[in-house]
Amino acid sequence: MHSWPITIDDVRGAQKMLAGVARVTPMETSRYLAELVGAPVHLKCENLQRTGSFKLRGAYVRIAGLTPVQKAGGVVAASAGNHAQGVALAAALLGVRSTVFMPLAAPLPKVSATRGYGAEVRLHGSTVDDALQAAQRYAEATGAVFIHPFDHWDIVTGQATVGLEILEQCPEVRTILVGVGGGGLLAGIAAAVKPLRPDVRVVGVQAAAAAAYPPSLAAGRPITLERFATMADGIQVGRPGDIPFEVINTLADGIRTVSEESLSRALLVGLERLKLVVEPAGVSPVAALLEQPGAFEGPVVAVLSGGNIDPQLMQRVLRHGLVAAGRYLSLRVRLADRPGALADLLAVLTQVDANVLDVAHVRIDPRLGLTEVEVDLHLETKGPEHCTAVISELRDAGYVVTQ
């Protein structure tokens, strides 16, 4: 038996505390994903939560639990986005002064939103870890209470309210998929769901490029990754939290990892088929369904944990997603440097029905002969088979093609 200090009554108490503060976010169905999986798929839309993610829940429960003296001293946090906004709004609602340290490269929309919710924002360092150290130094120097993004029992209890809502909104659920960074959300959902419904599988999803949980679970203790980098900045965490790890190691039904290509494809699916703006971390459960649709017993609930995505990142990720889906193709083609050569090339592309988005000539390259030129082409295509057909058609026409 576990010995942690979270009971279902604690989670229900947090749910009452959050009434009127956090939204009971909608549960949407997806026919597209249901056809893919062969079972009903529901989407728990925490991307539509206040501040754009589930983080408000844990932050509010944590700050509400402080003593009057602690509240008077203010709170401090470090984050690149979602936790920052959750702490800022929770503190403002509770009348507590908040300071948030963010990396210098934090997306401007997230910095502006955090300030808009009432926090004093201090930009520091190049990474979240740099900001984290600065926030901890600030806490020691001023007496402000440091609000950790995931490694505290009150944070886990607040996030656990998502699990109660899932059981209320979709009592027939058999599998819950949850994106995992430090593990606060997965631990909370598992702690709420498993005592009430031990038959429900609660599965975490991590970006393969930043997956600290699989080696940690294998070792039986939190392991720190030496290198980690993923487009899913919301789950880009190099070490599991001690408290979430304890819960996940006991209650969760494993961790799946997904590739960067699957994350970008899932973000594209979110926009095109689900009609929802979801950040890469938030769409990781959908990526798991795209990679292994037959691996999960339905009905499935995929938790879309956040929707705060920088527009510039969205542009890059969407391009990546189009490439992964075979709907965008970049080629370099060598041809003779003579009048009409480009027109001949474009005629071949017309025959194979590829839409040219961009063309650029490359003439200065030591590999090229005096009478040769290379052309960089960006094409709109119709899927992997069409991409293969385009390349085959060009090579059959005698062109040297590189991708």
Side-chain angles (χ1 to χ4, degrees):
M1 285 290 292
H2 62 77
S3 58
W4 53 73
I6 293 181
T7 67
I8 286 299
D9 287 341
D10 293 327
V11 181
R12 290 189 174 124
Q15 190 175 41
K16 290 178 182 176
M17 183 189 299
L18 289 168
V21 174
R23 290 187 65 192
V24 176
T25 50
M27 183 80 76
E28 300 290 344
T29 58
S30 170
R31 289 186 182 179
Y32 173 78
L33 292 175
E35 290 176 2
L36 187 70
V37 172
V41 175
H42 305 271
L43 308 169
K44 179 58 172 167
C45 297
E46 284 294 294
N47 59 313
L48 302 179
Q49 183 57 263
R50 295 178 72 181
T51 76
S53 88
F54 69 96
K55 291 286 190 177
L56 172 63
R57 298 172 183 264
Y60 190 90
V61 172
R62 172 78 172 100
I63 297 171
L66 299 178
T67 67
V69 172
Q70 289 173 320
K71 288 179 181 176
V75 298
V76 61
S79 166
N82 289 348
H83 180 59
Q85 293 171 71
V87 168
L89 179 57
L93 293 172
L94 290 162
V96 176
R97 186 178 71 257
S98 65
T99 304
V100 177
F101 285 80
M102 304 181 77
L104 289 165
L108 289 177
K110 295 184 178 183
V111 174
S112 299
T114 303
R115 286 195 176 115
Y117 289 125
E120 177 190 347
V121 174
R122 299 192 181 189
L123 299 176
H124 180 88
S126 58
T127 67
V128 175
D129 283 340
D130 293 337
L132 192 64
Q133 292 170 14
Q136 289 169 330
R137 288 194 298 269
Y138 178 90
E140 292 168 3
T142 66
V145 177
F146 178 65
I147 307 299
H148 198 283
F150 48 82
D151 212 4
H152 193 280
W153 288 113
D154 287 347
I155 295 287
V156 173
T157 303
Q159 319 309 26
T161 59
V162 177
L164 285 188
E165 289 180 20
I166 290 172
L167 294 184
E168 291 163 2
Q169 294 171 310
C170 185
E172 68 276 17
V173 61
R174 299 293 297 169
T175 304
I176 301 173
L177 296 178
V178 189
V180 185
L185 180 60
L186 177 61
I189 289 175
V193 169
K194 284 294 188 175
L196 298 173
R197 290 282 305 280
D199 59 303
V200 174
R201 290 180 58 80
V202 181
V203 179
V205 182
Q206 285 205 298
Y213 263 93
S216 297
L217 292 170
R221 59 184 174 83
I223 299 291
T224 302
L225 297 178
E226 290 186 11
R227 296 189 193 90
F228 56 97
T230 171
M231 70 176 74
D233 58 328
I235 53 174
Q236 185 173 262
V237 177
R239 182 186 184 279
D242 292 329
I243 287 170
F245 179 83
E246 183 182 346
V247 179
I248 290 167
N249 192 36
T250 305
L251 291 184
D253 297 290
I255 302 286
R256 301 275 176 158
T257 61
V258 292
S259 68
E260 298 296 288
E261 287 74 17
S262 294
L263 286 168
S264 58
R265 281 180 58 215
L267 190 133
L268 190 62
V269 166
L271 289 173
E272 284 194 329
R273 305 307 297 262
L274 311 180
K275 314 305 179 188
L276 292 166
V277 175
V278 190
E279 63 190 272
V283 85
S284 56
V286 175
L289 292 175
L290 294 178
E291 278 197 359
Q292 294 182 298
F296 308 103
E297 182 184 358
V300 176
V301 171
V303 180
L304 307 182
S305 58
N308 293 317
I309 181 168
D310 179 52
Q312 291 182 336
L313 174 62
M314 178 179 281
Q315 188 176 29
R316 294 197 302 272
V317 173
L318 285 178
R319 177 70 60 87
H320 197 85
L322 289 168
V323 171
R327 292 172 49 194
Y328 186 92
L329 182 61
S330 295
L331 300 173
R332 178 167 284 193
V333 180
R334 188 173 299 183
L335 59 155
D337 190 5
R338 61 169 177 77
L342 180 59
D344 293 342
L345 172 63
L346 296 178
V348 174
L349 293 171
T350 299
Q351 290 171 8
V352 77
D353 202 22
N355 187 33
V356 179
L357 301 175
D358 193 23
V359 178
H361 284 80
V362 179
R363 284 192 166 85
I364 302 173
D365 190 315
R367 297 172 302 155
L368 295 174
L370 291 175
T371 60
E372 291 181 320
V373 64
E374 285 188 330
V375 176
D376 283 339
L377 292 167
H378 300 284
L379 308 174
E380 184 180 16
T381 46
K382 301 173 182 178
E385 292 180 0
H386 190 212
C387 290
T388 302
V390 169
I391 294 168
S392 296
E393 192 75 16
L394 289 170
R395 287 177 174 156
D396 289 347
Y399 292 104
V400 176
V401 180
T402 55
Q403 287 181 262

